[in-house]
Amino acid sequence: MKTSKCNLSIACGIVLGAIMLALPSRLPGQTAATSSSGGNGASATRWSVQIDQVDPGKLGLAYSFQIAIYENLVEEFTKTKQFQRVFRKGDLKASEVPNLLFLKTTVEKYKPGSETRRAVTTVSGATKLTVRSQLFTREGKVVLERTVNGNVRFFGSNLRATHNLAHNIAKTIKQSSWSDSGQSTAMLTGQL
C-alpha cells in the first residue's frame, strides 16, 4: 500500500513537470511589451510615461503646490494602469524604455482660495488651478495637449485642489482619442 502511494506521488510529480515544460512560461517579473488591440489580430504598443516637474509658468505658485501637483500626478497615473510604467523625472531606468512618453505640465492660472471662507460660506473661497498638459515623444513631437482645471470649492485644504487637478489630468488623458483605441506608433507620433 505504501509503495502504491509513493508511485502515485512520483507519477503526479512527473506529469506536473511535463505540463510545466510544455506550456509557454514567463519569468515572474517579465511583462508583455505589446497587448492585443481587441480582436483584429494586430497588437498595440504599450507606452510608459515619465512625469516631468511642474512648470509654474509666470505665476508665483508656491513650491509646495508644485510638489503636490507632481506627487499627485505620479499617484494618479499609476492608478489608471493605462501606462506600462510610470517614471519620475530623473529616473535612470526610463532611458532603457523604448516606448516612452513625457508629461509636461505648465500652470496657466492660479487663484488661491481660503479654507476659512469655504467653511463659513459655500459660495466663496474656492482654490482654482488651470494647467496645460502635454504628452510628447523623445523626439519632442506633441501627441496630446489639453488644458485641465482643478479646484476645491467646498471643504478641504487648498492642496486638495492639486489632487483634483492630477485626477482630472489622468482622467482626461485616459479618455483621449489615442489612449483607448490601440493606435500604432506611427499614428501616435503623426507619421502617417
Side-chain angles (χ1 to χ4, degrees):
M1 188 82 164
K2 288 185 180 182
T3 308
S4 175
K5 286 184 181 180
C6 183
N7 288 339
L8 183 60
S9 295
I10 292 173
C12 286
I14 291 172
V15 169
L16 184 60
I19 290 173
M20 289 175 55
L21 289 173
L23 293 176
S25 63
R26 232 182 227 153
L27 296 174
Q30 189 177 2
T31 59
T34 59
S35 62
S36 175
S37 62
N40 60 1
S43 62
T45 303
R46 279 296 305 259
W47 290 87
S48 293
V49 66
Q50 178 178 304
I51 311 287
D52 287 348
Q53 294 292 334
V54 175
D55 180 1
K58 297 177 183 176
L59 304 174
L61 186 66
Y63 190 67
S64 60
F65 267 77
Q66 295 173 47
I67 295 300
I69 293 170
Y70 176 77
E71 291 298 327
N72 283 312
L73 281 170
V74 171
E75 181 180 333
E76 290 296 321
F77 271 70
T78 303
K79 279 184 194 176
T80 66
K81 299 184 191 249
Q82 176 185 9
F83 295 97
Q84 188 171 4
R85 294 194 56 197
V86 177
F87 294 100
R88 293 175 176 272
K89 174 78 173 170
D91 191 334
L92 298 176
K93 293 177 187 173
S95 63
E96 302 168 4
V97 177
N99 299 317
L100 185 66
L101 294 173
F102 297 87
L103 177 72
K104 180 178 180 182
T105 306
T106 305
V107 180
E108 293 183 335
K109 293 179 189 174
Y110 168 63
K111 179 186 173 248
S114 168
E115 293 176 45
T116 306
R117 274 202 224 148
R118 282 195 302 274
V120 174
T121 94
T122 59
V123 294
S124 66
T127 300
K128 299 178 182 179
L129 284 162
T130 301
V131 300
R132 185 179 73 240
S133 292
Q134 297 174 309
L135 272 179
F136 57 94
T137 64
R138 287 184 200 274
E139 296 79 28
K141 185 153 207 110
V142 176
V143 294
L144 182 71
E145 183 171 358
R146 297 283 190 269
T147 300
V148 183
N149 298 311
N151 59 48
V152 59
R153 292 185 183 271
F154 300 112
F155 300 106
S157 72
N158 287 337
L159 288 178
R160 178 73 180 164
T162 64
H163 173 268
N164 295 341
L165 175 70
H167 177 77
N168 291 344
I169 291 170
K171 182 179 173 183
T172 299
I173 290 175
K174 186 172 184 174
Q175 293 175 346
S176 65
S177 61
W178 72 270
S179 65
D180 58 357
S181 61
Q183 294 179 1
S184 68
T185 306
M187 193 163 186
L188 228 180
T189 59
Q191 299 173 352
L192 291 177

